[in-house]
Amino acid sequence: MKSSIRRQFRVYRYVFYRETLIDPREHFWSFVGAFMGIFVIAYLQSLSFPSLENVFLIGSFGASAVLVYGAIQSPLAQPRNLIGGHVVSAIVGVTVGQFLPDIIWLTAPTAVALSIVAMQITRCLHPPGGAIALIAVIGGTKVESLGYWYVLSPVLSGALILFIVALIFNNITKNRHYPIRSSRLRRSRRQQIERRRRA
């Protein structure tokens, strides 16, 4: 009986990685932060445009909310990644849409692939950025008519709203810190710099 329970527990540990096991008290703050971040963007959307033209409320903001409010320790959720990833990807997506012919099987993969490389080069990888680039080329006439204004609004403005709300709600309790103060990524970068200086 005990060996069966231990075996099930081992399987449980492999199926549910340690990073996905969150203190139940964190669920409340993840909910409140995500709700408020998307609420502010949706409210501004409702004031500015008819409900049929969801320009501000981009689907990738939902994915960003998962990272920024639910996985705040992730390097991909940090401010540089959140804001930079969105902006870089939007610039790439709009540029691809402007210069390549309107052939979906060409523009869509080009925009996503180039946005990934651009985010890697600028060290601001943020997975929802791929969706931002994709929306820039498949978003319809309203997004296309925005041109490079798409980068400023809704992309930059929405990312800034998510960031400001994250600063407020991710720092209310003593257990949550955003942005993280000592990430593994920052430590490894500092170690690389120190090694180069010594060499």
Side-chain angles (χ1 to χ4, degrees), residues 35-148:
F35 181 88
M36 290 306 297
I38 300 298
F39 169 80
V40 171
I41 296 171
Y43 182 71
L44 292 175
Q45 162 74 36
S46 70
L47 294 178
S48 302
F49 295 99
S51 59
L52 295 177
E53 295 181 7
N54 290 325
V55 177
F56 283 155
L57 200 56
I58 301 173
S60 61
F61 288 153
S64 292
V66 172
L67 286 168
V68 175
Y69 306 113
I72 63 175
Q73 301 294 325
S74 170
L76 304 175
Q78 300 313 301
R80 176 190 180 108
N81 299 69
L82 170 68
I83 297 168
H86 276 94
V87 170
V88 167
S89 298
I91 292 169
V92 169
V94 172
T95 303
V96 167
Q98 298 275 333
F99 291 105
L100 288 184
D102 192 16
I103 303 170
I104 193 71
W105 53 263
L106 178 64
T107 56
T110 303
V112 173
L114 283 177
S115 72
I116 292 170
V117 173
M119 286 187 289
Q120 288 173 330
I121 290 170
T122 57
R123 292 183 19 240
C124 60
L125 191 64
H126 188 66
I132 289 287
L134 184 61
I135 291 166
V137 295
I138 67 163
T141 56
K142 187 65 180 175
V143 173
E144 186 181 329
S145 67
L146 289 172
Y148 283 99

Side-chain angles (χ1 to χ4, degrees), residues 3-13:
S3 64
S4 173
I5 292 172
R6 284 187 190 134
R7 190 173 32 235
Q8 287 176 347
F9 182 71
R10 264 185 270 143
V11 169
Y12 175 78
R13 277 183 28 207

Side-chain angles (χ1 to χ4, degrees), residues 143-178:
V143 173
E144 186 181 329
S145 67
L146 289 172
Y148 283 99
W149 285 107
Y150 171 77
V151 177
L152 296 177
S153 181
V155 174
L156 178 60
S157 61
L160 288 174
I161 289 169
L162 292 176
F163 171 64
I164 291 166
V165 172
L167 283 178
I168 295 167
F169 289 99
N170 288 342
N171 291 303
I172 287 179
T173 67
K174 63 179 182 176
N175 296 330
R176 292 171 68 93
H177 302 288
Y178 182 82

